[in-house]
Amino acid sequence: MALEIVVMIKQVPDSQEVEIDPVTKTLNRMKARNVLNVADDNALEAALSIKDKVDAHITIVSMGPPMADEAILECMGKGADRGILLTDRAFAGADTYPTGLTLAAAISKLDHFDMIFAGEETSDSSTGHVGPGVAEFLGIEQITYTQSVRFEDGYVIGERELEDGVEIVKAKPPVLITVRLGSNIPRRQTLRKKIDALRKGVESWTLQNLGIPPEWVGFKGSPTVVRSMKTIKEKERSAKRITIEEIGQMVKELSDSGVLKMEVKEQ
Amino acid sequence: MTGLINAVPTDKPDEYRNVFVFLETRKGSVVKSSLEMIGIGREIADKVGEKLVCVIIGNHLEPMAEEAAKYGCDKVLGAESPDLEDFKTMPYAHYAAEFISEEKPNIFLIAATHDGRDLASRIAVKSRTGVTADCTVIDIDPKERILLANRPVYGESTLAEILCKNHRPQMATARPGVFKVPDRVDGKNCEMDIRKVKVDPDLIRKEIIGFRPKEEFDITGADIVVSGGIGLGKKEGFSMLQELAEELGGVVGASRPAVDVGWIERDHQVGQTGRVVRPKLYIAAGISGKAQHIVGMKLSDVIIAINTDPDAEIVKYSDYFINDDVYNAIPAILKEIKKLKGEKVEEITT
Ligand SMILES: Cc1cc2nc3c(=O)[nH]c(=O)nc-3n(C[C@H](O)[C@H](O)[C@H](O)COP(=O)(O)OP(=O)(O)OC[C@H]3O[C@@H](n4cnc5c(N)ncnc54)[C@H](O)[C@@H]3O)c2cc1C
Ligand SMILES: Nc1ncnc2c1ncn2[C@@H]1O[C@H](COP(=O)(O)O)[C@@H](O)[C@H]1O
């Protein structure tokens, strides 16, 4: 039986183009182009490289506005087999809890799944909490922050990047895997797959398809709220211009203020 | 397992008291970022007169619990089993959530390390509450006991304040390296409640089969970073910086182009595609101060820039600006430091 792989992707404003509105201090998303979240592209590539070796079927699942189907079509153009967009006004304004719940509800409607891939985080909300949330709702184990993933003898083996090294983890499917930004080089779309993708199209699912109450999702279902946004002020620095002759004075100032520790070994 | 179920507002939020902090451990010791959580956790617990409880999960916990207590907590709550020796998400999240339902904490802080983030949202979902990611400013409203969780967004340009008013516990992960490690004091009073547990075999679904320790040179912890850029003009410039760094007890950093031309290894690179450092003193020698470099060092306490160009962008990020050749300025700094140390030696010996 083919391995069933789900890849969760999100369309985000291109971070290179995002502008902060100088008056309202909020993100001016209207100006930015929308793109596939880069870490999700890496997650898709990790899934596709498994499909290169074994018989596998890849379903893309994304929650977002109707235009997010572009990002899903892009994934299909690279080799994903099916695309599902969860789109409904009720989903708007979700924090990580209902986002995970909505995605998990959709995934649980699929006949079967062996692996779920997600990016390590998105560029617009950068929490990294959605992937593990989905794993919790579905009651499965997870391997997060992977820089490489392989499927061998029925096991998923992931190399996790930690602060002090790389941990190698082995788990039996079903398992959720999150993939490090930049951990692989995503392939390009091919013309044939692109045409196939357009022919197949993206399925659009609403709240009704998921069978969960409207107050569980979107803004209403979110335990956290943003109370305020403040511009972060850069620290003011004096840029005191000094000459070579004044360096002695500077060193003394830094020593007196404790920035430089003049450790003197006792003789 | 939580199942497909919503977050629920807590009926009686007043019953939720005290601050939980998760202690992450590596190879038998508590990681530094968790000690930072004790610091900020203690601060907010004191503001509302509540207790600070450290949660620790693993094996052979006693020495680590004793050690954590020296940084100032009222209680250590632990789950101990050989099955918990390695970090495994499902059993770890299980015991953390059990401790929550038993003790009803108002707040739960976890360092936003990879393992910390791996765990945090699973614990939140289990407890049907919210969690704010990667906070850099944390406070508490002393009257309502609402956690004020602030996190940078939009490429660090904006600070968003996020509240979780109706759900308990109020959870947050906090960025490592931002909060202070409290002073270590021997003989503090702390209640120890470490329980031997028998882990449900159904929770053990992954196995750690290997570990490759990082061999890279790590510049992020240093108090002093002496960095060089293209302005050094040649590889030998870095030997000069190395000598100054050694004299100051610091490390050498570099701009990306200096790494690209092969004057120094990649693990010394500061910036967007290198490391982010926040030392007490940062010296930028022959570095122009492009945005991608600045994001890696702008949080340093004091910045000295050395540049022949009086209008280089680095100037506005500097506290001291030496408008001269690096080959004049660096030896002069070195000389002055040796001189000052010499004076101190005399003070001691005479
Ligand atoms: C996607 C991306 C990511 C990047 N990531 C990073 C990153 O992580 N880190 C990073 O550093 N850069 C990064 N860069 C590159 C960055 O944009 C700049 O090109 C780089 O920081 C400039 O390095 P520099 O200051 O050493 O060189 P230059 O810009 O060439 O500046 C050299 C400076 O030295 C001065 N100088 C020359 N001779 C002397 C002398 N004898 N004495 C004193 N001063 C002298 C000059 O006046 C000049 O200001 C990135 C770029 C991109 C596009
Ligand atoms: N709206 C969404 N639709 C599909 N996947 C998502 C969505 N939001 C987040 N994800 C997935 O969860 C990962 C982590 O996102 P975040 O927690 O927002 O940083 C992303 O890289 C995606 O794989």
Side-chain angles (χ1 to χ4, degrees):
Chain A
M1 205 172 68
L3 209 54
E4 284 290 336
I5 302 178
V6 175
V7 183
M8 308 198 296
I9 64 111
K10 188 181 179 189
Q11 191 183 48
V12 295
D14 187 346
S15 55
Q16 307 290 319
E17 293 182 18
V18 168
E19 282 180 27
I20 315 280
D21 187 311
V23 182
T24 62
K25 306 286 183 223
T26 55
L27 196 65
N28 196 340
R29 284 166 197 258
M30 300 309 287
K31 283 198 186 147
R33 237 164 19 111
N34 290 304
V35 294
L36 174 60
N37 181 48
V38 179
D40 300 354
D41 205 3
N42 294 125
L44 173 64
E45 180 56 37
L48 286 169
S49 61
I50 290 175
K51 192 185 162 185
D52 290 339
K53 297 201 184 80
V54 299
D55 183 20
H57 179 267
I58 298 180
T59 302
I60 303 292
V61 177
S62 183
M63 179 183 92
M67 67 175 173
D69 62 2
E70 281 168 37
I72 299 178
L73 284 172
E74 184 184 336
C75 297
M76 292 166 76
K78 293 180 180 206
D81 302 281
R82 181 182 180 193
I84 302 171
L85 177 64
L86 314 174
T87 189
D88 197 309
R89 279 184 179 282
F91 298 151
D95 73 4
T96 55
Y97 193 110
T99 301
L101 177 57
T102 305
L103 292 165
I107 293 168
S108 67
K109 293 276 168 203
L110 305 176
D111 286 343
H112 170 77
F113 62 87
D114 297 295
M115 284 178 223
I116 301 171
F117 281 87
E120 68 167 308
E121 62 181 49
T122 51
S123 62
D124 62 341
S125 52
S126 48
T127 73
H129 287 171
V130 169
V134 168
E136 179 58 35
F137 288 118
L138 297 172
I140 63 174
E141 201 29 292
Q142 66 194 33
I143 308 178
T144 52
Y145 299 100
T146 60
Q147 45 170 242
S148 81
V149 186
R150 32 184 225 276
F151 183 66
E152 261 173 30
D153 307 324
Y155 285 92
V156 178
I157 296 167
E159 304 206 339
R160 298 182 68 212
E161 204 171 311
L162 299 178
E163 288 72 15
D164 60 346
V166 175
E167 181 181 81
I168 304 150
V169 186
K170 182 174 166 182
K172 247 201 155 56
V175 62
L176 180 135
I177 300 131
T178 78
V179 176
R180 283 284 271 168
L181 174 75
S183 61
N184 55 35
I185 300 165
R187 67 193 65 187
R188 293 172 180 274
Q189 303 184 62
T190 66
L191 186 61
R192 248 202 60 201
K193 292 200 171 91
K194 241 167 130 167
I195 294 169
D196 273 0
L198 284 170
R199 218 191 45 232
K200 268 190 217 162
V202 172
E203 295 166 44
S204 199
W205 292 12
T206 63
L207 181 64
Q208 258 199 331
N209 297 82
L210 302 185
I212 51 176
E215 60 279 8
W216 286 17
V217 298
F219 182 75
K220 279 193 201 146
S222 298
T224 65
V225 290
V226 178
R227 181 163 78 170
S228 71
M229 295 274 204
K230 283 183 237 123
T231 310
I232 297 175
K233 270 237 269 322
E234 297 271 348
K235 187 172 166 187
E236 297 265 343
R237 301 201 186 251
S238 60
K240 188 168 162 192
R241 285 172 193 256
I242 61 162
T243 61
I244 299 281
E245 289 69 41
E246 290 162 332
I247 285 176
Q249 178 59 29
M250 175 188 81
V251 167
K252 196 167 173 310
E253 279 173 33
L254 293 175
S255 166
D256 290 347
S257 61
V259 172
L260 287 181
K261 288 219 172 57
M262 295 292 160
E263 251 137 56
V264 194
K265 291 175 208 92
E266 304 225 9
Q267 325 228 299
Chain B
M1 163 181 161
T2 305
L4 297 173
I5 201 152
N6 63 325
V8 278
T10 305
D11 265 350
K12 297 181 180 136
D14 285 346
E15 286 181 0
Y16 284 71
R17 301 217 153 252
N18 304 326
V19 177
F20 265 25
V21 159
F22 179 74
L23 298 183
E24 182 179 333
T25 65
R26 298 295 293 167
K27 302 182 203 91
S29 54
V30 175
V31 303
K32 182 165 163 258
S33 50
S34 290
L35 301 179
E36 295 162 5
M37 295 305 100
I38 297 181
I40 180 66
R42 180 80 268 168
E43 236 175 73
I44 57 176
D46 287 347
K47 275 193 184 162
V48 290
E50 293 184 358
K51 286 189 174 146
L52 181 68
V53 180
C54 289
V55 171
I56 186 166
I57 299 168
N59 199 19
H60 307 299
L61 296 178
E62 212 180 281
M64 292 184 273
E66 300 283 350
E67 180 63 18
K70 298 195 164 101
Y71 292 87
C73 55
D74 301 295
K75 179 173 172 176
V76 179
L77 194 53
E80 183 176 75
S81 157
D83 289 333
L84 298 170
E85 176 93 39
D86 293 321
F87 175 82
K88 290 180 189 137
T89 314
M90 288 181 74
Y92 271 55
H94 171 83
Y95 287 106
E98 282 223 319
F99 287 146
I100 290 175
S101 53
E102 189 180 315
E103 298 252 332
K104 296 192 165 40
N106 184 36
I107 287 164
F108 196 167
L109 304 178
I110 301 176
T113 56
H114 283 183
D115 280 353
R117 291 206 205 189
D118 179 292
L119 207 52
S121 86
R122 293 201 68 144
I123 299 172
V125 168
K126 277 185 186 298
S127 307
R128 303 173 73 180
T129 185
V131 53
T132 302
D134 202 29
C135 297
T136 55
V137 178
I138 292 178
D139 204 350
I140 186 165
D141 172 340
K143 243 179 84 214
E144 305 287 333
R145 299 186 309 123
I146 299 291
L147 185 72
L148 311 172
N150 290 268
R151 59 173 309 222
V153 292
Y154 311 153
E156 311 279 310
S157 65
T158 308
L159 196 65
E161 183 169 81
I162 297 171
L163 309 184
C164 176
K165 275 191 161 161
N166 306 319
H167 300 65
R168 295 292 178 275
Q170 306 169 73
M171 291 184 61
T173 61
R175 187 177 293 183
V178 172
F179 299 95
K180 265 187 67 182
V181 175
D183 292 333
R184 183 176 182 278
V185 181
D186 275 318
K188 282 205 169 166
N189 233 348
C190 177
E191 183 188 340
M192 292 288 165
D193 181 0
I194 293 179
R195 305 163 188 185
K196 297 230 181 292
V197 296
K198 207 173 154 355
V199 181
D200 178 354
D202 186 44
L203 291 175
I204 311 278
R205 301 195 202 169
K206 66 180 177 188
E207 194 189 336
I208 316 301
I209 58 171
F211 185 77
R212 287 197 304 272
K214 208 178 250 175
E215 277 158 17
E216 278 181 13
F217 183 68
D218 186 9
I219 58 171
T220 57
D223 274 346
I224 294 176
V225 179
V226 184
S227 279
I230 284 297
L232 286 177
K234 53 184 182 216
K235 188 177 175 134
E236 290 70 38
F238 275 100
S239 323
M240 177 177 74
L241 299 189
Q242 180 66 39
E243 196 187 342
L244 178 59
E246 270 168 27
E247 190 66 38
L248 294 171
V251 301
V252 171
S255 72
R256 181 160 104 172
V259 171
D260 287 345
V261 296
W263 293 345
I264 191 161
E265 293 77 45
R266 175 91 35 211
D267 42 20
H268 291 265
Q269 184 184 320
V270 173
Q272 187 185 315
T273 42
R275 299 306 195 108
V276 175
V277 296
R278 43 182 306 155
K280 290 207 177 87
L281 175 64
Y282 189 86
I283 301 180
I287 294 176
S288 57
K290 295 280 183 296
Q292 295 90 351
H293 188 82
I294 298 297
V295 295
M297 44 66 85
K298 68 176 179 189
L299 296 176
S300 309
D301 288 349
V302 175
I303 296 173
I304 302 175
I306 305 164
N307 203 306
T308 42
D309 176 3
D311 302 316
E313 283 155 275
I314 192 82
V315 178
K316 65 171 182 288
Y317 297 98
S318 67
D319 298 281
Y320 294 95
F321 176 56
I322 308 171
N323 185 198
D324 210 313
D325 194 300
V326 283
Y327 293 95
N328 295 332
I330 297 283
I333 298 175
L334 194 59
K335 195 178 98 198
E336 292 299 335
I337 285 163
K338 286 190 170 155
K339 201 167 116 195
L340 193 60
K341 281 193 185 176
E343 283 167 17
K344 299 240 159 142
V345 171
E346 263 171 44
E347 271 169 38
I348 293 173
T349 49
T350 50

